[in-house]
């Protein structure tokens, strides 16, 4: 009997031995298939897991790459030789010349979109024929950024530590049904009316609550019209394009942003982002039915990092200086130093369950190559009891202490290895144990930041 993928209890069943887990045998049927038409790549921790690298790897074989949520709070880094590419809005698949879509669940800062497109074009990446932008995606406007900065200041010590890109306020307006959508840019008069309406409301708050100067409607309007003229050809109903692709057996890759623990509903609320990074959000964000999704890959670092405020049970300030430099643990979007800690399998179990993970892609394994022993968090101890599920409320979480199991380190440089057979036994043991603890097989191991430094199991 196969252990149910994404089940925290799969490991305790003890059904699969180590080699089965590592090879990917003995798992759900979706992971067995090679020719998978639609795959979701989702972050399993607090973001920054290396999704960009995994999407870049998989997009070599994809026809279409779609982002389904978030905005330019995301930062995906891909190295091609010595060239570093940092993506915030545009799907990473654009680098391989794939049709790349920004879905309805995203929030779009038009300046960032154009900047990113211009930069990629100037470096020879074919952007213009390959980009599509959902008419239903919401726009991030100048008042969103002003209000987010003011709100973070007002929160003081309770600040969320957001990226201050206006993401949260743009999603607030979407839900409050006063958002302005990409498709609204087509109608110049309608846009002017919408802006008048929303600015009357926003400026009242900006002036009276935050005591800041009001924003000028004409400046925002003219700026938007000028930018629209540059990207209007990309705007369409992306959902029908995705469905057409799926119906004609094209391979579609859904590129998640952020991570499960930053999910607005299931993350460490309120220290979360304002959208749903979970795999299930693909349906609403890209406009496809759940039956079209074939495989879900959770990306996880071989350790854990977090940026911004909020709980982080396995945080280890004493190893931060070693891991931060080796792993390049500085935010792609804001440049902030990330907090660092040991791998937390309680987090990964939650992630496997919420996303229905078929398999795990483990990144940055090479970074652990110098430790004699590598602790892995297998459970939490809370109020005298051992618990295996991540608590939903922060008060309980604050009383949780990690229970570690120490695994032997492999003490070698694995960044040049190409096959799983070459991995040191202790590295295999580390992967097998985490696979067992999480209840999902490891399908990919990344051992460096460059293309080719990856092992497909
Ligand atoms: P926001 O998404 O800018 O509203 O920020 C909310 C929280 O999510 C902050 O702690 C951010 O640091 C974090 N966050 C948002 N996007 C990412 C990401 O792509 N990687 C890591 N942290 C992120």
């Amino acid at each position: 009997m196969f252990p149910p993928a994404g089940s925290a209890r799969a490991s305790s069943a003890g059904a699969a031995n180590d080699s089965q887990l590592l090879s990917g045998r003995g798992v759900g049927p979706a992971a067995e298939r090679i020719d998978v038409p639609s795959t979701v790549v989702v972050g399993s921790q607090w973001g920054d897991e290396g999704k960009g690298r995994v999407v870049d790897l998989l997009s070599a074989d994809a026809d279409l790459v779609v982002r389904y949520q978030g905005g330019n709070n995301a930062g995906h880094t891909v190295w091609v030789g010595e060239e570093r590419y940092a993506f915030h809005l545009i799907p990473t698949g654009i680098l391989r010349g794939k049709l790349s879509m920004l879905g309805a669940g995203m929030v779009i800062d038009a300046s960032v979109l154009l900047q990113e497109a211009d930069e990629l074009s100037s470096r020879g990446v074919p952007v213009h024929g390959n980009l599509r932008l959902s008419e239903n995606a919401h726009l991030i406007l100048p008042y969103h950024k002003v209000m987010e900065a003011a709100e973070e200041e007002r929160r003081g010590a309770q600040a969320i530590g957001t990226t201050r890109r206006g993401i949260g306020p743009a999603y607030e307006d979407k839900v409050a049904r006063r958002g302005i959508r990409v498709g609204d840019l087509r109608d110049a008069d309608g846009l002017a009316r919408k802006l008048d309406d929303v600015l009357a409301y926003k400026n009242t708050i900006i002036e009276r609550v935050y005591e800041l100067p009001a924003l000028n409607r004409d400046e925002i309007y003219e700026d938007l019209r000028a930018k629209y003229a540059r990207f209007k050809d990309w705007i369409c109903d992306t959902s029908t394009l995705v469905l057409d692709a799926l119906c004609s057996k094209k391979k579609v890759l859904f590129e998640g942003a952020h991570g499960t623990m930053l999910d607005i509903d299931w993350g460490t609320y309120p220290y979360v982002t304002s959208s749903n990074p979970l795999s299930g959000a693909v349906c609403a964000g890209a406009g496809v039915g759940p039956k079209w999704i074939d495989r879900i890959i959770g990306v996880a670092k071989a350790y854990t990092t977090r940026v911004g405020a909020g709980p982080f049970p396995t945080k280890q300030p004493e190893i931060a200086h070693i891991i931060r430099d080796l792993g390049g643990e500085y935010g792609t979007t804001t440049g902030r130093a990330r907090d660092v800690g040991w791998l937390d399998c309680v987090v990964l179990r939650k992630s496997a369950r919420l996303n229905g993970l078929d398999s795990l892609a483990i990144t940055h394994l090479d970074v652990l190559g110098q430790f004699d022993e590598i602790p892995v968090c297998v459970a939490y101890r809370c109020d005298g009891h051992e618990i295996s599920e991540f608590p939903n409320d922060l008060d309980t979480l604050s009383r949780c202490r990690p229970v570690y199991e120490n695994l032997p380190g492999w003490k070698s440089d694995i960044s040049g290895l190409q096959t799983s057979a070459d991995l040191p036994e202790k590295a295999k043991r580390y992967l097998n144990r985490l696979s067992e603890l999480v209840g999902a097989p490891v399908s990919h191991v990344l051992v460096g930041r460059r293309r080719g430094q990856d092992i497909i199991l």
Side-chain angles (χ1 to χ4, degrees), residues 5-9 260 266 278-279 346-357 388-392 438-440:
S7 156
R9 276 160 282 279
T260 300
W266 294 100
L278 293 186
S279 60
V346 182
V347 163
L348 292 188
R349 271 202 295 273
K350 175 169 177 168
S351 190
R353 168 166 54 86
L354 293 171
N355 291 299
L357 296 184
S388 59
E389 294 291 336
F390 192 93
N392 282 319
V438 177

Side-chain angles (χ1 to χ4, degrees), residues 47-173:
D48 305 322
E49 299 92 350
K51 293 176 292 295
R53 266 282 274 125
V54 175
V55 172
D56 180 59
L57 174 67
L58 298 177
S59 62
D61 197 30
D63 298 294
L64 179 60
V65 183
V66 187
R67 253 194 73 182
Y68 55 94
Q69 46 75 229
N72 55 304
N73 44 350
H76 296 171
T77 307
V78 178
W79 286 83
V80 183
E82 292 308 309
E83 294 271 316
R84 176 181 184 270
Y85 294 86
F87 296 87
H88 301 288
L89 277 178
I90 296 179
T92 309
I94 200 97
L95 261 190
R96 299 213 188 240
K98 304 299 163 115
L99 193 60
S100 299
M101 290 186 190
L102 289 83
M106 291 186 69
V107 285
I108 309 293
D109 184 324
S111 312
V112 175
L113 177 63
L114 288 172
Q115 254 168 33
E116 212 167 289
D118 287 346
E119 198 201 317
L120 287 167
S121 296
S122 73
R123 297 171 76 181
V125 179
V127 170
H128 287 273
N130 286 339
L131 258 192
R132 301 288 184 276
L133 170 58
S134 170
E135 57 198 1
N136 286 5
H138 280 249
L139 290 168
I140 299 176
L141 293 164
Y143 43 82
H144 293 133
K145 285 179 263 189
V146 169
M147 292 175 81
E148 177 167 30
E151 187 56 18
E152 282 283 271
E153 295 303 326
R154 188 194 65 78
R155 282 174 174 264
Q158 269 74 50
I160 307 292
T162 72
T163 57
R164 300 197 179 201
R165 302 296 193 257
I167 310 296
Y171 278 113
E172 278 177 44
D173 278 355

Side-chain angles (χ1 to χ4, degrees), residues 46-49 51 67 70-76 88 148 152 159-169 171 257-259 261-263 270-275 277 305-310 331-334 336 338:
W46 277 280
D48 305 322
E49 299 92 350
K51 293 176 292 295
R67 253 194 73 182
N72 55 304
N73 44 350
H76 296 171
H88 301 288
E148 177 167 30
E152 282 283 271
I160 307 292
T162 72
T163 57
R164 300 197 179 201
R165 302 296 193 257
I167 310 296
Y171 278 113
H258 327 300
M261 301 307 283
L262 290 172
D263 188 274
Y271 300 99
V272 291
T273 192
S274 301
S275 63
T305 61
R306 175 165 203 174
V307 65
T332 309
T333 303
T334 58
R336 291 178 289 179
R338 296 172 186 147

Side-chain angles (χ1 to χ4, degrees), residues 107-424:
V107 285
I108 309 293
D109 184 324
S111 312
V112 175
L113 177 63
L114 288 172
Q115 254 168 33
E116 212 167 289
D118 287 346
E119 198 201 317
L120 287 167
S121 296
S122 73
R123 297 171 76 181
V125 179
V127 170
H128 287 273
N130 286 339
L131 258 192
R132 301 288 184 276
L133 170 58
S134 170
E135 57 198 1
N136 286 5
H138 280 249
L139 290 168
I140 299 176
L141 293 164
Y143 43 82
H144 293 133
K145 285 179 263 189
V146 169
M147 292 175 81
E148 177 167 30
E151 187 56 18
E152 282 283 271
E153 295 303 326
R154 188 194 65 78
R155 282 174 174 264
Q158 269 74 50
I160 307 292
T162 72
T163 57
R164 300 197 179 201
R165 302 296 193 257
I167 310 296
Y171 278 113
E172 278 177 44
D173 278 355
K174 165 177 168 167
V175 175
R177 289 155 294 181
R178 71 172 87 86
I180 299 185
R181 304 204 288 183
V182 168
D184 293 330
L185 297 173
R186 291 186 180 121
D187 171 8
D189 294 338
L191 176 66
R193 279 195 301 277
K194 286 193 168 98
L195 270 179
D196 279 339
D197 198 37
V198 75
L199 264 179
Y201 172 74
K202 296 287 175 185
N203 275 337
T204 308
I205 301 172
I206 287 172
E207 287 185 298
R208 300 211 190 145
V209 177
Y210 297 121
E211 299 178 337
L212 293 168
L215 300 186
N216 182 296
R217 184 277 228 180
D218 293 346
E219 270 174 30
I220 299 176
Y221 177 80
E222 296 305 335
D223 184 57
L224 275 178
R225 292 293 299 165
K227 293 196 167 113
Y228 166 67
R230 293 195 52 210
F231 63 70
K232 63 181 195 296
D233 293 343
W234 303 340
I235 303 172
C236 62
D237 176 357
T238 47
S239 158
T240 55
L241 292 185
V242 178
L243 191 65
D244 285 350
L246 289 166
C247 289
S248 46
K249 299 204 182 314
K250 297 258 189 324
K251 291 181 188 165
V252 181
L253 194 55
F254 296 100
E255 175 174 336
H258 327 300
T260 300
M261 301 307 283
L262 290 172
D263 188 274
I264 184 78
D265 291 303
W266 294 100
T268 45
Y269 189 90
Y271 300 99
V272 291
T273 192
S274 301
S275 63
N276 293 106
L278 293 186
S279 60
V282 164
C283 299
V288 291
K291 289 182 181 161
W292 287 104
I293 294 168
D294 291 276
R295 179 171 67 161
I296 302 162
I297 300 178
V299 185
K301 265 180 192 155
Y303 47 93
T304 312
T305 61
R306 175 165 203 174
V307 65
F312 180 176
T314 61
K315 184 160 107 179
Q316 294 290 326
E318 56 278 20
I319 58 162
H321 67 285
I322 308 173
I323 286 192
R324 205 174 271 151
D325 287 335
L326 279 174
E329 298 301 352
Y330 298 90
T332 309
T333 303
T334 58
R336 291 178 289 179
R338 296 172 186 147
D339 286 326
V340 175
W342 299 121
L343 188 71
D344 189 337
C345 288
V346 182
V347 163
L348 292 188
R349 271 202 295 273
K350 175 169 177 168
S351 190
R353 168 166 54 86
L354 293 171
N355 291 299
L357 296 184
D358 288 304
S359 69
L360 287 161
I362 301 298
T363 66
H364 293 67
L365 188 67
D366 53 305
V367 173
L368 296 182
Q370 58 180 294
F371 294 98
D372 293 324
E373 275 199 324
I374 309 174
V376 172
C377 171
V378 296
Y380 295 155
R381 179 157 286 280
C382 182
D383 303 334
H385 302 285
E386 202 166 292
I387 56 171
S388 59
E389 294 291 336
F390 192 93
N392 282 319
D393 78 291
L394 295 198
D395 188 41
T396 309
L397 187 60
S398 70
R399 300 196 307 279
C400 287
R401 298 289 170 265
V403 177
Y404 288 113
E405 183 176 304
N406 286 330
L407 295 176
W410 47 94
K411 298 283 284 178
S412 61
D413 177 9
I414 57 169
S415 61
L417 304 187
Q418 308 241 303
T419 69
S420 59
D422 299 333
L423 280 172

